[in-house]
């Protein structure tokens, strides 16, 4: 797979691939990752593109059959010896190109520093650019082990060049949140105001 973030070897990720009315969900472990190209985003920033290989984990007979059926329906088979696997020179690897790669989702978890927070959105700081209008599923951890889940939209972006390395300031608009989580967030922001604290 290709991502704009380097995947660390040995880390487990959840993968969801959708197509033709079928959804495949699996857990994989990163076995290799390397920088293969770079692209420019809408703001002209150079974004590195990493190509990584993952090994499926926890494969029951049922899951193996599910993966095989998905490949049979969606894949185009390409047989070749993969040089990256140097530990087994005589093994023939069978690779498949998924015909609808835009519907493959890697559940990649990352932490961000929150600078400002309100009921309508927040301002975060991170080391990577996020494109305007991108929608991101997020989880915010509050006090006393409480947390809220929401869907956010990237509403603004600013590159902070006065940092070394440069950081990105991202404005997130909250577009989907349960009423229960909204009440938690409201109570939390009121508590911060009462205590005179800011992010």
């Amino acid at each position: 797979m290709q991502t704009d973030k380097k995947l660390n070897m040995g880390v487990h990720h959840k993968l969801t691939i959708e197509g033709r009315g079928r959804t495949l969900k699996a857990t994989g472990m990163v076995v290799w990752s390397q920088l293969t190209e770079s692209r420019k985003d809408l703001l002209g920033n150079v974004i590195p593109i990493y190509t990584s290989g993952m090994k499926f984990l926890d494969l029951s007979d049922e899951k193996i059959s599910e993966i095989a059926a998905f490949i049979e329906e969606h894949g185009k088979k390409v047989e070749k010896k993969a040089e990256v696997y140097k530990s087994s020179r005589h093994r023939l690897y069978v690779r498949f190109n998924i015909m609808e790669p835009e519907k493959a989702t890697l559940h990649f978890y990352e932490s961000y520093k929150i600078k400002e927070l309100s009921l309508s959105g927040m301002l975060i700081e991170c080391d990577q650019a996020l494109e305007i209008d991108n929608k991101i599923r997020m989880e915010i951890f509050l006090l006393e082990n409480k947390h809220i889940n929401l869907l956010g939209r990237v509403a603004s972006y600013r590159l902070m060049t006065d940092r070394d390395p440069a950081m990105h300031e991202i404005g997130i608009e909250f577009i989907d949140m349960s009423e229960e989580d909204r009440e938690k967030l409201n109570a939390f922001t009121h508590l911060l105001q009462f205590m005179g604290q800011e992010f």
Side-chain angles (χ1 to χ4, degrees), residues 12-161:
H12 297 186
H13 294 281
K14 293 187 180 297
L15 184 67
T16 301
I17 307 175
E18 299 178 357
R20 302 179 189 174
R22 184 191 292 269
T23 299
L24 173 66
K25 294 187 176 183
T27 300
M29 181 180 70
V30 180
V31 294
W32 60 271
S33 184
Q34 58 188 12
L35 179 65
T36 52
E37 61 178 297
S38 61
R39 302 171 186 168
K40 287 188 176 181
D41 62 14
L42 298 176
L43 299 171
N45 299 308
V46 177
I47 305 299
I49 302 298
Y50 297 90
T51 301
S52 305
M54 296 185 74
K55 173 184 177 181
F56 289 131
L57 303 176
D58 303 326
L59 292 179
S60 63
D61 291 341
E62 180 181 356
K63 179 59 70 173
I64 292 174
S65 298
E66 183 184 352
I67 293 173
F70 189 92
I71 291 174
E72 182 77 20
E73 186 173 350
H74 297 80
K76 177 181 178 182
K77 185 169 70 172
V78 179
E79 293 189 356
K80 61 180 292 187
K81 288 185 178 179
E83 295 180 359
V84 70
Y85 297 100
K86 297 186 183 298
S87 60
S88 179
R89 297 179 181 177
H90 304 293
R91 182 173 178 181
L92 180 66
Y93 289 86
V94 181
R95 302 176 64 192
F96 293 85
N97 294 326
I98 301 301
M99 305 307 293
E100 300 182 51
E102 71 279 1
K103 294 185 179 180
T105 303
L106 176 70
H107 300 277
F108 189 93
Y109 298 96
E110 193 168 12
S111 297
Y112 300 107
K113 175 184 177 182
I114 300 177
K115 301 179 69 175
E116 297 178 14
L117 179 66
S118 70
L119 285 177
S120 59
M122 63 182 175
L123 189 66
I124 64 174
E125 184 178 297
C126 60
D127 59 1
Q128 299 212 17
L130 300 177
E131 290 191 18
I132 298 294
D133 287 332
N134 268 10
K135 294 181 176 60
I136 307 171
R137 180 62 61 181
M138 312 184 87
E139 185 174 23
I140 301 177
F141 293 90
L142 309 175
L143 299 174
E144 299 176 350
N145 295 323
K146 293 181 180 179
H147 66 276
I148 60 176
N149 294 283
L150 58 95
L151 181 65
R153 181 185 73 86
V154 178
S156 66
Y157 164 87
R158 183 175 73 91
L159 177 63
M160 298 184 292
T161 55

